[in-house]
Structure formats: structure tokens, C-alpha cells
Amino acid sequence: AAPVAFGFAVAMESSMWANAPAMLASAATAMGGTNVLAGAVLLGGVSFFLYNQLALICLDSLTPLSSSIGNVMKRVFVVAVSVTLMGGAVTDQQLQGFGLAMVGVAAYSLASKSAPSQDKADPPAAKPATVAA
């Protein structure tokens, strides 16, 4: 899949390849040097790798619905933290979306607490084997 994706990226972004060295130099200058840029890229890659590992561990131990709820919460948390730290403006539509996501998570939480427990019951006892005469 990676060679196909790479080929697709090269074909779609071929006009940008000529500007790549200038863009990298500009990014390195803005960040304080090539080593800082390389460190940021490495840190980003390692962070994403660890995030994916954690996501796989969580998927293994959660139900699909719980995982989906966690994903919604993660998205809201990431946007809220980035707005808080970076001071970006939030539109009314975004606030309504966050509110709707929170209401959905709260409704699911309340519904799952009030629903009867579906613990796994002990399996029925095996019937004793009969010997045919």
C-alpha cells in the first residue's frame, strides 16, 4: 500500500517538489535550525508511533462502541487543549459540535449505567457422557 500511496502523492503533488528545498530551508530557519527541525520531525514520528500502539492496546481491551466514544472524547480534548494553549478562535458551530459530542457521551454513560448488567454467566454444566451398551 505504501508504494501506491507514495506514487499517488508524487503524481498529485509533483508541482510542489520543485519548491521542497526552499520550503524545508524556510521551516528550518523558522524553527531555529536544521537540527531542531529534524528533532521535531523525529519526535512527531515517535509520538505518532506510540499513539498507534496505545490505540491498538485499547482496541484489544475495549468494545468497538467504547473505543468510538473514547475517540470522540480524544478529539474534543485535543481541540480544547489546542485552543487553550494556542489561543485560537472557536466558532459557534464548533462549540455546538463539542456540546453535541459531550451530550452524546453523557447519554451513553447514563444509558450504560442504567441498563441491566450483561456479565458473562457461568456456562451451563456439561452433560455427563453416556456409554452405549
Side-chain angles (χ1 to χ4, degrees), residues 98-127:
F98 295 151
L100 181 62
M102 290 294 125
V103 167
V105 169
Y108 170 73
S109 178
L110 292 173
S112 65
K113 286 182 182 177
S114 65
S117 178
Q118 296 181 353
D119 292 337
K120 292 181 181 177
D122 291 331
K127 294 181 182 178

Side-chain angles (χ1 to χ4, degrees), residues 10-103:
V10 168
M12 296 301 293
E13 302 292 336
S14 60
S15 63
M16 299 296 289
W17 287 102
N19 299 333
M23 288 189 291
L24 282 172
S26 174
T29 302
M31 292 192 69
T34 306
N35 290 338
V36 176
L37 177 62
V41 169
L42 181 66
L43 181 62
V46 169
S47 297
F48 192 67
F49 172 78
L50 293 174
Y51 162 74
N52 280 327
Q53 292 299 315
L54 181 62
L56 288 174
I57 291 168
C58 289
L59 282 175
D60 190 38
S61 63
L62 296 174
T63 64
L65 183 59
S66 296
S67 177
S68 179
I69 297 293
N71 192 19
V72 168
M73 293 297 297
K74 176 199 66 152
R75 289 172 188 256
V76 171
F77 177 76
V78 165
V79 170
V81 168
S82 66
V83 165
T84 302
L85 294 178
M86 296 180 205
V90 180
T91 66
D92 288 339
Q93 186 177 15
Q94 288 171 323
L95 287 174
Q96 291 171 357
F98 295 151
L100 181 62
M102 290 294 125
V103 167

